[in-house]
Amino acid sequence: MKIAIVGPGAIGSTFAFHLARAGHDVTVVARGARLAWLEKERAIVTTEEQRAPVEVSAALDTTTPWDLVLVTVLESQVDAVLPALQHSAAKQVMFMFNTFAPLDRLRDAVGAHRFVFGFPAILAELKEGKLDSHVIPRSFSALQITIVTDPAWAEHFSKAGIPTDTQPDMHSWLRTHAALVVPVMLTANHAHERGSGLSWKESRELALGLAEGFALVRSLGHPVTPSNLAILGKLPAPVTTLGLWMLSRHPLMASLGAHGPGEARTLIDAMVAAAPARSTRLQSLRP
């Protein structure tokens, strides 16, 4: 199939690598330094020196009838690519990023018949242009593997080496996920900026923010999805406080926090916009 990937950062490059190695015709649409690096290599290159040849472009060709355009930019960047997606001849457009906002705007922009959403269970980063990626295997499905709203693409991704399940209620899943990851992102950001863990008081504030986020999801009419996460919202505050306090001291947190507070800020803004009166603690945590 012909697949275009808009935003070949670490996540987009992981999909490009696996799909190209599976035999699909993959074009990556990049900009800036990433575009220059890919134009030189004409391939996704891993830190282990594995290569998957791809076509490279500075803009999405809207005349090509892509079987799929996979959009892996940040939510704050999607408006810049939305006009091209609207006018694209692509058969399907899949968005894949963190968001708390309603999905209707994106669905309406590309058409309900073409709209797909997904979320990656991938730990990845680019090191001097080379991809260091770890795909969460199906044996971890009790926690999370990659999910999409379309069963056919779940099968295609799985066959390409990215185990994927279907999640029909993606809006509830995304809002639950946002409530969960915002305190984790803020924990990572603090750990990166200070080079040390959170205080107990700071951990407690984030734990209360986590509980408020789950309560907000329910108040908006969504079930906490997947249901096994509901237990987090029911744990006593000292337990979640201890969990975040310990998490802030894990070496991985400082490196995750290097991405900055921008994504957490965007998610908090969307949560506050959805229900200002029920998100006061989240407002106070906004970096």
Side-chain angles (χ1 to χ4, degrees):
M1 292 181 293
K2 291 186 69 66
I3 299 173
I5 297 178
V6 179
I11 298 300
S13 293
T14 301
F15 276 90
F17 179 82
H18 282 271
L19 290 166
R21 299 265 287 198
H24 299 294
D25 180 358
V26 177
T27 296
V28 293
V29 181
R31 62 181 184 177
R34 185 61 175 155
L35 173 62
W37 197 94
L38 289 166
E39 285 180 327
K40 176 173 66 74
E41 295 292 336
R42 312 302 296 186
I44 304 297
V45 184
T46 73
T47 52
E48 297 176 344
E49 300 301 332
Q50 294 179 304
R51 300 176 66 89
V54 295
E55 296 297 319
V56 183
S57 177
L60 179 69
D61 183 350
T62 58
T63 64
T64 297
W66 307 100
D67 293 291
L68 178 69
V69 175
L70 177 59
V71 184
T72 56
V73 300
L74 295 175
E75 180 183 15
S76 59
Q77 300 168 329
V78 75
D79 282 344
V81 301
L82 207 52
L85 297 172
Q86 287 177 304
H87 296 102
S88 169
K91 297 172 186 176
Q92 288 194 294
V93 178
M94 181 186 295
F95 298 90
M96 188 173 279
F97 47 74
N98 265 320
T99 183
F100 194 85
L103 304 180
D104 307 55
R105 181 175 73 94
L106 301 176
R107 183 183 294 108
D108 293 345
V110 301
H113 64 291
R114 299 198 298 167
F115 176 80
V116 190
F117 211 101
F119 199 87
I122 295 169
L123 301 175
E125 62 179 319
L126 294 175
K127 298 179 178 179
E128 297 181 351
K130 295 182 179 181
L131 177 65
D132 183 8
S133 178
H134 304 278
V135 176
I136 304 301
R138 191 166 290 278
S139 58
F140 279 53
S141 59
L143 299 176
Q144 180 194 327
I145 61 172
T146 296
I147 56 173
V148 296
T149 54
D150 184 270
W153 285 110
E155 183 178 355
H156 290 311
F157 290 165
S158 295
K159 287 181 177 178
I162 301 176
T164 305
D165 275 343
T166 304
Q167 172 53 253
D169 189 3
M170 184 61 81
H171 197 18
S172 295
W173 191 96
L174 286 165
R175 286 191 156 179
T176 301
H177 188 259
L180 173 65
V181 300
V182 160
V184 175
M185 288 178 173
L186 295 177
T187 297
N189 186 57
H190 287 314
H192 174 73
E193 289 182 346
R194 301 176 186 175
S196 61
L198 297 172
S199 69
W200 186 260
K201 180 180 179 181
E202 290 168 331
S203 301
R204 178 175 170 78
E205 287 299 308
L206 288 174
L208 294 174
L210 175 67
E212 183 179 81
F214 280 152
L216 174 61
V217 170
R218 293 189 185 93
S219 74
L220 294 172
H222 298 282
V224 171
T225 306
S227 58
N228 59 359
L229 287 180
I231 191 173
L232 287 177
K234 299 176 181 178
L235 290 174
V239 176
T240 48
T241 299
L242 176 62
L244 289 167
W245 185 87
M246 294 175 64
L247 185 65
S248 71
R249 284 155 174 77
H250 193 285
L252 179 62
M253 284 293 101
S255 61
L256 289 176
H259 297 292
E263 191 170 5
R265 188 182 297 130
T266 298
L267 290 172
I268 290 174
D269 288 346
M271 296 167 84
V272 172
R278 294 192 291 272
S279 53
T280 54
R281 189 171 299 277
L282 288 165
Q283 294 178 53
S284 71
L285 293 173
R286 185 184 188 277

